Amino acid sequence: MGTLRAILKNPDDLYPLIKLKLAARHAEKQIPPEPHWGFCYLMLQKVSRSFALVIQQLPVELRDAVCIFYLVLRALDTVEDDTSIPTDVKVPILISFHQHVYDREWHFACGTKEYKVLMDQFHHVSTAFLELGKLYQQAIEDITMRMGAGMAKFICKEVETTDDYDEYCHYVAGLVGLGLSKLFHASGTEDLASDSLSNSMGLFLQKTNIIRDYLEDINEVPKCRMFWPREIWSKYVNKLEDLKYEENSVKAVQCLNDMVTNALSHVEDCLTYMFNLRDPAIFRFCAIPQVMAIGTLAMCYDNIEVFRGVVKMRRGLTAKVIDRTKTMADVYGAFFDFSCMLKSKVNNNDPNATKTLKRLDAILKTCRDSGTLNKRKSYIIRSEPNYSPVLIIVIFIILAIILAQLSGNRS
């Protein structure tokens, strides 16, 4: 019912939502017949439906490499995330994980739900990995080795300073950016991007996730996970978990805004990285998550709900981002609109207002200077549409028929 209410409020979400639903069904049908590849693509859909959709943009050879890269790192992340694994067991696994991708027999029992299945049947991932081209294998092994070592380092180290924060995010996400750049280059379709720009692509996404997932991470059992740097949160509360308590709401929002401002420092690098991409499929693969990230930050900024539950873009707007992110002009337009949305929420009394506005103004200038903002229709910021009740009823009936047909086809 939540989706239906959202569509009635935003009827122009309907078409992109239908396209997204059809794309998801198409992706479900693109499962390779080989058991190991079939497992990998099915698992990809289970651990990240959004990534499984975006990866469909890529040509088959590169898609296979990126799929395996993602699953290897997701498995590594599952080991790191499992707080029930003793440190003396976890650290050696993280450090040696890059060697296990060559072992068709290796598996390790950890994680929950679909992640447990991934770890229990990791031999399928290893088998698929060994069928990739050598350049792809070398890139995946190198990034896995460096990421595992970095994760092991932070098992025994708290995120104290903003430098620690950048270092941790580099290990768990910046290296993903470097690895993807290596895979793109190995496919022969892109020049090798600089490590600095590749790193920023990962850091922007990771910092957005860390901000959005505060409550989930702080409530993790048997032991909470803390990634917000003490250098930032200690300006507002004595303990990081204090941010979730209602009596600290004002300080919590100020701290949140400080974190969002920190994440915005990577946006201009991300825009440069995307501008330099040549292949349309690789561009869409990279651009869609970045637009989702700036949109998520716009939703999270100055929003106490980050400390009460999950804040995210409505499904209809997500569908529009996926449908309408095709060119660099689309990216500039989306970043401009979401930055305007975020700027409208900045309170001059916020301790970081000046820094936030400075970073937003720099982003807005980059988008304006692109010369692509004229003669476009924004799907993000718009006046409230004046739809007649009859039109809304017709849209509702059409949606109900389409959903019924989709449900019938599934059975």
Side-chain angles (χ1 to χ4, degrees):
M1 288 302 295
T3 301
L4 291 177
R5 280 195 296 268
I7 291 173
L8 291 176
K9 187 176 180 181
N10 303 277
D12 54 338
D13 286 356
L14 179 60
Y15 179 63
L17 277 169
I18 293 172
K19 287 185 71 175
L20 183 61
K21 182 73 173 177
L22 293 174
R25 289 180 63 82
H26 176 75
E28 291 172 1
K29 296 177 181 178
Q30 301 304 302
I31 304 301
E34 301 87 352
H36 50 292
W37 284 108
F39 173 86
C40 290
Y41 277 96
L42 280 171
M43 189 53 55
L44 187 65
Q45 292 177 7
K46 290 180 179 179
V47 299
S48 180
R49 282 174 27 182
S50 59
F51 190 83
L53 273 175
V54 175
I55 201 178
Q56 293 298 320
Q57 312 296 326
L58 301 175
V60 175
E61 180 185 293
L62 180 57
R63 185 194 311 162
D64 286 347
V66 173
C67 173
I68 299 307
F69 183 50
Y70 184 89
L71 290 178
V72 168
L73 298 188
R74 179 61 78 174
L76 181 65
D77 188 58
T78 299
V79 176
E80 185 214 19
D81 282 351
D82 193 330
T83 53
S84 68
I85 304 174
T87 299
D88 62 338
V89 174
K90 179 181 292 189
V91 169
I93 294 175
L94 293 174
I95 291 173
S96 63
F97 203 92
H98 64 286
Q99 298 171 345
H100 298 314
V101 295
Y102 289 96
D103 183 354
R104 297 177 191 267
E105 305 299 323
W106 187 86
H107 60 90
F108 182 72
C110 68
T112 59
K113 300 179 181 177
E114 59 269 18
Y115 300 104
K116 185 179 187 308
V117 177
L118 172 63
M119 298 305 297
D120 286 342
Q121 302 188 47
F122 191 77
H123 62 279
H124 288 306
V125 180
S126 300
T127 300
F129 169 82
L130 291 170
E131 294 182 2
L132 298 176
K134 283 295 181 185
L135 290 177
Y136 292 134
Q137 288 182 7
Q138 290 167 4
I140 293 171
E141 179 190 2
D142 174 58
I143 296 301
T144 305
M145 178 181 66
R146 293 161 67 182
M147 185 179 292
M151 287 178 169
K153 177 178 179 178
F154 276 90
I155 292 296
C156 309
K157 175 182 170 68
E158 294 290 332
V159 179
E160 297 283 348
T161 67
T162 52
D163 285 343
D164 291 340
Y165 185 41
D166 285 346
E167 184 182 9
Y168 172 76
C169 290
H170 164 73
Y171 287 132
V172 300
L175 285 172
V176 179
L178 270 68
L180 287 172
S181 293
K182 288 175 179 285
L183 296 179
F184 300 155
H185 181 60
S187 73
T189 53
E190 298 288 349
D191 294 331
L192 184 60
S194 73
D195 285 358
S196 176
L197 295 179
S198 302
N199 188 59
S200 284
M201 289 284 284
L203 262 64
F204 186 57
L205 298 182
Q206 182 66 18
K207 288 184 176 183
T208 298
N209 290 342
I210 286 174
I211 291 166
R212 181 199 62 198
D213 295 341
Y214 165 85
L215 194 63
E216 178 185 339
D217 289 340
I218 208 72
N219 288 336
E220 180 80 16
V221 291
K223 181 182 179 183
C224 69
R225 298 179 296 159
M226 299 183 180
F227 304 120
W228 290 34
R230 182 184 298 272
E231 182 179 333
I232 290 180
W233 62 257
S234 63
K235 293 186 285 185
Y236 306 96
V237 288
N238 293 322
K239 294 185 292 186
L240 182 55
E241 56 265 32
D242 290 346
L243 293 173
K244 67 181 180 180
Y245 300 126
E246 192 169 349
E247 61 268 25
N248 297 320
S249 293
V250 173
K251 291 294 185 181
V253 168
Q254 291 175 348
C255 182
L256 168 65
N257 294 346
D258 203 341
M259 290 287 290
V260 172
T261 301
N262 175 279
L264 292 174
S265 65
H266 303 290
V267 168
E268 290 179 87
D269 273 357
C270 294
L271 292 173
T272 300
Y273 182 100
M274 290 183 282
F275 178 82
N276 290 331
L277 292 172
R278 297 194 303 256
D279 184 270
I282 291 176
F283 173 81
R284 275 176 53 78
F285 172 80
C286 293
I288 290 170
Q290 297 293 326
V291 174
M292 293 290 295
I294 188 67
T296 300
L297 288 183
M299 303 296 167
C300 288
Y301 185 86
D302 210 47
N303 189 348
I304 190 62
E305 291 304 313
V306 170
F307 304 98
R308 306 287 182 263
V310 179
V311 174
K312 57 184 178 181
M313 293 164 51
R314 71 176 191 275
R315 289 182 63 190
L317 185 52
T318 297
K320 285 179 179 176
V321 168
I322 294 173
D323 184 46
R324 303 183 188 184
T325 304
K326 297 176 181 175
T327 67
M328 196 62 208
D330 299 329
V331 170
Y332 283 130
F335 269 79
F336 183 86
D337 287 346
F338 280 125
S339 295
C340 285
M341 183 189 298
L342 207 160
K343 186 175 181 179
S344 71
K345 297 168 71 176
V346 177
N347 186 326
N348 288 331
N349 292 324
D350 185 89
N352 293 281
T354 300
K355 184 189 293 185
T356 307
L357 291 171
K358 182 178 179 180
R359 288 190 174 161
L360 287 171
D361 286 341
I363 296 167
L364 293 171
K365 183 179 186 303
T366 298
C367 295
R368 288 193 196 96
D369 289 349
S370 72
T372 63
L373 298 182
N374 296 331
K375 297 180 181 179
R376 69 187 184 90
K377 183 179 180 182
S378 172
Y379 63 90
I380 296 166
I381 298 177
R382 56 182 173 76
S383 57
E384 195 66 30
N386 185 21
Y387 294 104
S388 70
V390 174
L391 179 58
I392 291 176
I393 292 172
V394 170
I395 290 172
F396 183 89
I397 293 172
I398 292 172
L399 176 63
I401 292 171
I402 291 171
L403 290 177
Q405 288 177 339
L406 289 173
S407 298
N409 291 337
R410 188 180 298 113
S411 59

